[in-house]
Amino acid sequence: MASQHDEITTLGSVATLLAEALRSCDRDPVPLFAAAGIDMPRATQCGARIPTTRMQTLWRLAVETTGDPCLGLVVARHFQPVALHGLGFAWLASDTLYAALERLVRYSRLINTAVDFRLENTADSVDLVNRVSRVEWPDFVFAATDLAMAAFLRMCQITASHAVMPRQVILQRPRPPCARDFIAVFGPNIQYGAPDNRLSFDRALVEAPLSMANPELARLNDQMVIDYLSRHDGESLTMQVRAKIIELMPDGRPGQEVIADALHMSLRSLQRKLQNEGTSFTTLLHETQQQLAIQYVRESHRSIGEITYLLGYSEPGSFTRAFRRWTGKSPLQFRGHRQASPSAIQQT
């Protein structure tokens, strides 16, 4: 019988990056992939997924073979936005780094189906947070998290400016013997042995408008990620329901009976499976409407009437009341406030 860990998967591009890094260290990745039980040609195909247990074995073998406790940072040097599939391109086209980090949180299952990300906000900072359970993964190889944190910072730097640096970095891993390498990547303010992993940024930095923002391109790549997760994340009904809600919403807010029929399952089965995943149709519908509403209002080229239609509301007044309930402002007030003060952002 397969264990719960066997059902947890990692995006195959991580293996591709690791193979490139091993070659740069004059190490042949082929025998390591074989020893980890990973089919290298298949794993490095676009969109492939790999059981995380096997990826962890590969990481462990790679660190042992190179003798480099900072191997995750070496792998990060090979990172490019395309490694994150459509999420990478949606990130680059986001209107602010905050919007980009929101996308990472929303679609984190693209990267790994077990590690959840969240944003924590204070008056002057925004923290990207994730945590690896040391109970479920007692032998977790921290090089994997080192790569992830360095890659996310690199994405911020590619998107906004290579001068972008976090105000603080907090890591679960113990202090490594190559701590100077971590300082070179993350800056001097690093805390080790923490309960979770954090990249902490100045709020003004992540809220500043980005010159290369392209809302339509971001939206197209959002849909690419949703479609990918619907195809490859078979155990997650949540993503399939979200995708169908977005697809059907312009025809009016879809009921759960409509979604169940579109997914070829009974209403009772839909409700039970969503409950098993810790959510409900009503929660997903409201969350999807709220996220899309804020995203669309940020896109100044869209009229309120168009947004009303896209979100399935019968008339602008209903949408405006809902938006005010979510954000404390009308859509026009929210849009005008953001244009007048780039550092202002409404938390939801």
Side-chain angles (χ1 to χ4, degrees):
M1 178 180 295
S3 70
Q4 184 177 3
H5 279 186
D6 291 332
E7 300 174 356
I8 298 171
T9 59
T10 300
L11 188 63
S13 57
V14 176
T16 301
L17 292 171
L18 183 49
E20 292 176 1
L22 286 166
R23 293 190 187 99
S24 74
C25 298
D26 295 322
R27 299 294 191 277
D28 184 0
V30 175
L32 300 186
F33 273 70
I38 299 174
D39 183 329
M40 187 169 177
R42 182 177 299 176
T44 54
Q45 290 177 355
C46 179
R49 301 200 68 83
I50 303 171
T52 300
T53 50
R54 298 187 183 185
M55 273 303 306
Q56 279 290 293
T57 299
L58 180 60
W59 274 111
R60 187 171 298 106
L61 293 171
V63 172
E64 291 173 356
T65 298
T66 60
D68 187 354
C70 280
L71 183 62
L73 302 185
V74 176
V75 178
R77 296 175 198 152
H78 297 265
F79 173 83
Q80 295 295 331
V82 69
L84 294 180
H85 195 266
L87 173 58
F89 297 112
W91 184 315
L92 295 177
S94 298
D95 60 349
T96 64
L97 284 181
Y98 193 95
L101 294 173
E102 283 183 316
R103 284 188 161 92
L104 172 59
V105 170
R106 189 180 312 145
Y107 303 129
S108 62
R109 289 181 67 83
L110 170 76
I111 303 169
N112 185 282
T113 57
V115 181
D116 291 323
F117 293 79
R118 67 182 187 275
L119 294 181
E120 292 188 1
N121 300 270
T122 69
D124 59 357
S125 69
V126 175
D127 289 6
L128 173 66
V129 185
N130 72 81
R131 185 177 70 87
V132 176
S133 171
R134 301 297 289 141
V135 174
E136 296 180 14
W137 300 90
D139 299 321
F140 187 83
V141 181
F142 288 109
T145 302
D146 298 341
L147 164 62
M149 301 296 277
F152 300 150
L153 176 57
R154 181 172 171 81
M155 280 298 299
C156 291
Q157 293 170 337
I158 293 173
T159 307
S161 166
H162 286 281
V164 168
M165 291 296 287
R167 60 193 295 172
Q168 184 180 29
V169 174
I170 296 175
L171 301 172
Q172 284 183 272
R173 63 132 57 246
R175 181 183 178 89
C178 50
R180 289 185 179 179
D181 292 343
F182 278 76
I183 293 174
V185 173
F186 296 112
N189 195 5
I190 305 174
Q191 176 185 335
Y192 298 99
D196 51 32
N197 303 291
R198 293 172 180 260
L199 291 176
S200 181
F201 295 100
D202 287 327
R203 174 171 288 279
L205 170 68
V206 299
E207 293 175 356
L210 297 172
S211 60
M212 298 301 291
N214 187 324
E216 287 301 324
L217 182 60
R219 182 74 187 90
L220 287 172
N221 281 283
D222 281 344
Q223 189 60 51
M224 283 183 60
V225 177
I226 291 171
D227 292 343
Y228 171 89
L229 289 172
S230 295
R231 294 193 305 270
H232 292 82
D233 194 17
E235 76 274 15
S236 174
L237 180 62
T238 297
M239 289 306 304
Q240 297 178 52
V241 171
R242 285 187 189 276
K244 283 298 178 183
I245 289 174
I246 293 172
E247 176 185 338
L248 299 175
M249 199 175 289
D251 295 326
R253 278 178 291 176
Q256 52 186 329
E257 296 87 352
V258 173
I259 297 297
D261 185 63
L263 294 175
H264 309 291
M265 64 176 60
S266 69
L267 176 59
R268 184 180 297 275
S269 178
L270 174 72
Q271 293 171 334
R272 184 182 69 255
K273 290 182 178 181
L274 287 178
Q275 183 177 13
N276 290 340
E277 294 185 13
T279 187
S280 68
F281 175 80
T282 301
T283 297
L284 292 177
L285 177 63
H286 290 169
E287 287 179 351
T288 302
Q289 281 189 304
Q290 182 175 349
Q291 291 167 359
L292 289 178
I294 292 173
Q295 177 181 325
Y296 289 156
V297 170
R298 284 172 173 160
E299 300 169 2
S300 58
H301 67 284
R302 294 190 187 276
S303 69
I304 301 304
E306 179 186 4
I307 297 172
T308 298
Y309 162 75
L310 289 173
L311 294 180
Y313 285 91
S314 58
E315 48 91 18
S318 298
F319 168 62
T320 296
R321 287 191 292 275
F323 194 87
R324 190 185 296 276
R325 185 171 65 252
W326 293 328
T327 68
K329 296 180 175 65
S330 71
L332 291 178
Q333 289 172 331
F334 184 89
R335 178 176 286 172
H337 184 56
R338 286 182 58 80
Q339 292 173 345
S341 176
S343 64
I345 191 166
Q346 178 67 47
Q347 298 181 39
T348 60

